Amino acid sequence: MIIRETCVAIWDALHAAVMAQPHKEQWKEIADVFQKTCQFPNCAGAIDGKHIRIKKPVRSGSQYYNYKKYFSFVLFAMCDANYSFRYIDVGSYGSRSDSAVFAHSEFGKMLQDKALDLPEHTTLPGTTSPAMPFVFVGDETFALGENLMRPYSSRGLSLARRVFNYRLTRARRIVECAFGILANKWRFLHTPIHLKLETAISTVKAACVLHNFVRARDGYNFDDSLTHSLQSHRPSVVRGHRQGAAVREQFTAYFMSPHGALPWQLEAI
């Protein structure tokens, strides 16, 4: 009871202060940091989902039994380039894919409905056209969209597409590092959580807001993020739409242009 009440109190006290939804100007600031640190312009955040190990919830059947053959619920997160969580969704069934968790999350619905107050389309650095949307970057488990970029399929990639995948991965790894910092600072995430489901969810939510609270004060130590015990989701086949494909092609062309290319990108792939 003490654990549950304390974690709920931490969430209630800190959530609005350290994990409030960004407004238009804050989205621009997030994108500026992604451009400076990862060289991916117009990037508003990196998204991913991780399994949180738990004991089997009472009368839950196989809903929380994941493809790695243990019980879990999902921590879905979107983070900025400073490794802080800007949105989390905690508690979805471990048997669900990342794309399903994302589609049913408040964040996914707001992105679909264009209710996130993202900035207007703007040109990429060094160019005068076309105006490009602000996007979130994820792995291949997410559906391609106008505001959501994922890598190209790994089969038969051209040089330009391999470069795009490399550039996207450099931005997307930010959320992987954020999970690493979270798990290595709050070590209970390295082992199954032996609490009731509702309490386990509350502890993870409390850890996430404390992560942001500490990040703003302690700074960032890269060594903390090298390893973590949070397991990725099983890839699932999801289709994007034509508008998202067109945006991805424009980013691909930009990353091969004199204005958008990095000196080392061809060596890195």
Side-chain angles (χ1 to χ4, degrees), residues 22 27 30 44-48 76-80 84-88 107 136 175:
W27 287 123
I30 293 172
I47 62 174
D48 199 7
F76 168 80
M78 184 276 287
C79 77
D80 60 27
S84 293
F85 298 115
R86 292 305 185 112
Y87 174 84
I88 60 171
F107 178 81
F136 299 92
V175 68

Side-chain angles (χ1 to χ4, degrees), residues 133-147:
F134 284 77
V135 300
F136 299 92
V137 294
D139 61 22
E140 65 277 5
T141 63
F142 296 98
L144 183 67
E146 180 184 12
N147 300 109

Side-chain angles (χ1 to χ4, degrees), residues 126-235:
T127 67
T128 56
S129 66
M132 297 285 285
F134 284 77
V135 300
F136 299 92
V137 294
D139 61 22
E140 65 277 5
T141 63
F142 296 98
L144 183 67
E146 180 184 12
N147 300 109
L148 180 55
M149 294 290 100
R150 73 171 188 179
Y152 289 100
S153 171
S154 59
R155 295 181 180 178
L157 289 181
S158 65
L159 178 63
R161 292 187 174 190
R162 288 166 59 199
V163 168
F164 173 86
N165 283 1
Y166 165 69
R167 297 288 291 271
L168 182 140
T169 299
R170 294 186 75 245
R172 191 189 64 79
R173 67 179 175 82
I174 294 293
V175 68
E176 294 281 349
C177 289
F179 284 133
I181 299 169
L182 176 74
N184 286 332
K185 187 171 288 290
W186 283 275
R187 310 286 294 185
F188 76 95
L189 293 170
H190 283 290
T191 58
I193 303 176
H194 293 281
L195 296 169
K196 290 183 178 180
L197 179 62
E198 295 79 7
T199 305
I201 291 172
S202 292
T203 62
V204 173
K205 292 169 65 176
C208 288
V209 291
L210 285 172
H211 166 90
N212 284 10
F213 184 83
V214 172
R215 282 283 306 123
R217 289 156 177 78
D218 277 5
Y220 170 58
N221 180 355
F222 182 76
D223 291 338
D224 289 341
S225 68
L226 293 178
T227 59
H228 62 79
S229 60
L230 306 184
Q231 297 294 320
S232 298
H233 262 166
R234 174 176 51 187

